[in-house]
Amino acid sequence: MKNIYFISLLLTTTLNTMAQQKIVQTAGRTQLGEFAPEFAHLNDDILFGEVWSRNDLLSLRDRSLVTLTALISQGITDSSLSYHLQEAKKNGITRTEIAEIITHIAFYAGWPKAWAAFNQAKNIWSDDVTSDDAKAIFQKSMIFPIGEPNTAYAKYFIGNSYLAPISAAQVKFVNVTFEPRCRNNWHIHKATQGGGQMLVGVAGRGWYQEEGKEAVEILPGTVIHIPANVKHWHGAAADSWFAHLAFEIEGDNTANEWLEPVNDEQYDRLPCRK
Ligand code: MN
């Protein structure tokens, strides 16, 4: 394990992320070729030339994950860790994933080690998409507009949501967009006859939950029929923007009753991935 630590300190060239392609590493010979030629050879030709290059057996992304786990578990939080965090990002580990990875490691390797790793990771992933960029990217994945900030109902939502009226005649409906983790409060579409609400997933990934039942995943094309007088909430997954069409079903004496928020404790019990 110590060798992995010392070897990892020597890495200065970029890993080649092309599948099946041998990685060319020169850091060993550049830095230690004269002093420790055998070590330089092992670093450049074996560790990188062979082990890291066997991406037909294990992807670079997975190798990054294993390497980070080994480094953080040993409490190695110097430039070696920052190098491997940067490589992990190049190898496709996202901002959301690295936060989850380090959180997971924390329980097995120790809390202060996770803190130290987070202090580096947050800087390395800091230039990732801003919220505005992410919204623009999400819009490109969706045929309906995101519309305007949902200010009228903001007090009944956690996080930012957006409303776009799509049809104002015959069957009226709106497109509702939720940023990641955004969800509406528990609520009831009340009616004495008819009523209720229908949702149709449009883009991204979200959730619908009725009180006392498991949450149901909503993907593009998923249709959700919400009966009148049933307590429920809907919103985005933690790691995805989400949009659904919302149809308010006609009925007698219809009214919406807004209740308590879906707090983080409830929300974080939802599975992160399907
Ligand atoms: Mn509803």
Side-chain angles (χ1 to χ4, degrees):
M1 289 305 276
K2 284 295 174 195
N3 279 347
I4 292 171
Y5 165 41
F6 286 119
I7 291 164
S8 66
L9 281 173
L10 302 174
L11 314 181
T12 54
T13 59
T14 303
L15 296 180
N16 190 329
T17 55
M18 296 289 286
Q20 310 289 336
Q21 213 166 330
K22 194 161 176 163
I23 292 163
V24 178
Q25 177 62 273
T26 57
R29 288 197 172 84
T30 302
Q31 297 183 40
L32 283 173
E34 197 179 333
F35 189 79
E38 184 59 20
F39 184 91
H41 155 69
L42 292 170
N43 184 80
D44 295 353
D45 304 331
I46 307 300
L47 175 58
F48 282 90
E50 293 185 18
V51 179
W52 272 92
S53 294
R54 286 199 292 265
N55 41 38
D56 53 334
L57 298 182
L58 194 65
S59 69
L60 287 173
R61 181 186 181 285
D62 288 347
R63 288 184 193 278
S64 277
L65 215 162
V66 172
T67 307
L68 285 178
T69 305
L71 294 177
I72 296 169
S73 299
Q74 294 174 88
I76 292 163
T77 54
D78 61 6
S79 59
S80 166
L81 178 63
S82 78
Y83 171 82
H84 277 288
L85 286 167
Q86 284 160 5
E87 289 305 310
K89 186 177 173 184
K90 286 180 201 158
N91 291 337
I93 291 178
T94 66
R95 182 188 173 113
T96 305
E97 286 169 335
I98 193 64
E100 188 62 16
I101 288 163
I102 297 173
T103 301
H104 192 95
I105 293 172
F107 282 85
Y108 291 90
W111 211 250
K113 291 171 181 167
W115 264 108
F118 271 128
N119 284 334
Q120 292 198 15
K122 72 178 182 188
N123 294 326
I124 289 164
W125 273 265
S126 68
D127 59 347
D128 273 25
V129 288
T130 65
S131 171
D132 284 349
D133 292 337
K135 182 168 164 246
I137 290 166
F138 183 66
Q139 178 64 82
K140 286 183 187 158
S141 74
M142 178 165 70
I143 54 172
F144 295 113
I146 288 176
E148 299 301 319
N150 182 13
T151 49
Y153 292 88
K155 62 187 170 192
Y156 304 124
F157 283 65
I158 289 177
N160 294 310
S161 66
Y162 303 84
L163 271 185
I166 306 298
S167 165
Q170 296 185 313
V171 177
K172 298 170 188 173
F173 60 96
V174 297
N175 188 35
V176 188
T177 298
F178 305 74
E179 68 179 1
R181 295 188 68 83
C182 174
R183 66 272 190 184
N184 52 31
N185 289 4
W186 289 99
H187 61 280
I188 301 171
H189 304 288
K190 295 178 121 180
T192 52
Q193 181 75 33
Q197 187 184 39
M198 186 174 84
L199 310 178
V200 180
V202 173
R205 197 166 70 91
W207 295 106
Y208 165 69
Q209 187 171 29
E210 288 182 15
E211 189 179 38
K213 295 188 181 175
E214 290 290 311
V216 176
E217 187 177 50
I218 309 180
L219 294 172
T222 304
V223 179
I224 300 286
H225 297 280
I226 306 171
N229 308 311
V230 166
K231 183 175 171 181
H232 68 277
W233 66 270
H234 25 115
D239 59 354
S240 176
W241 283 71
F242 173 59
H244 66 54
L245 303 178
F247 301 77
E248 308 298 326
I249 309 305
E250 299 238 332
D252 296 338
N253 304 306
T254 58
N256 287 350
E257 184 181 4
W258 290 97
L259 302 163
E260 71 278 11
V262 178
N263 62 35
D264 282 346
E265 193 198 340
Q266 292 176 316
Y267 183 79
D268 289 333
R269 265 186 245 134
L270 297 166
C272 193
R273 295 253 178 242
K274 95 174 177 174

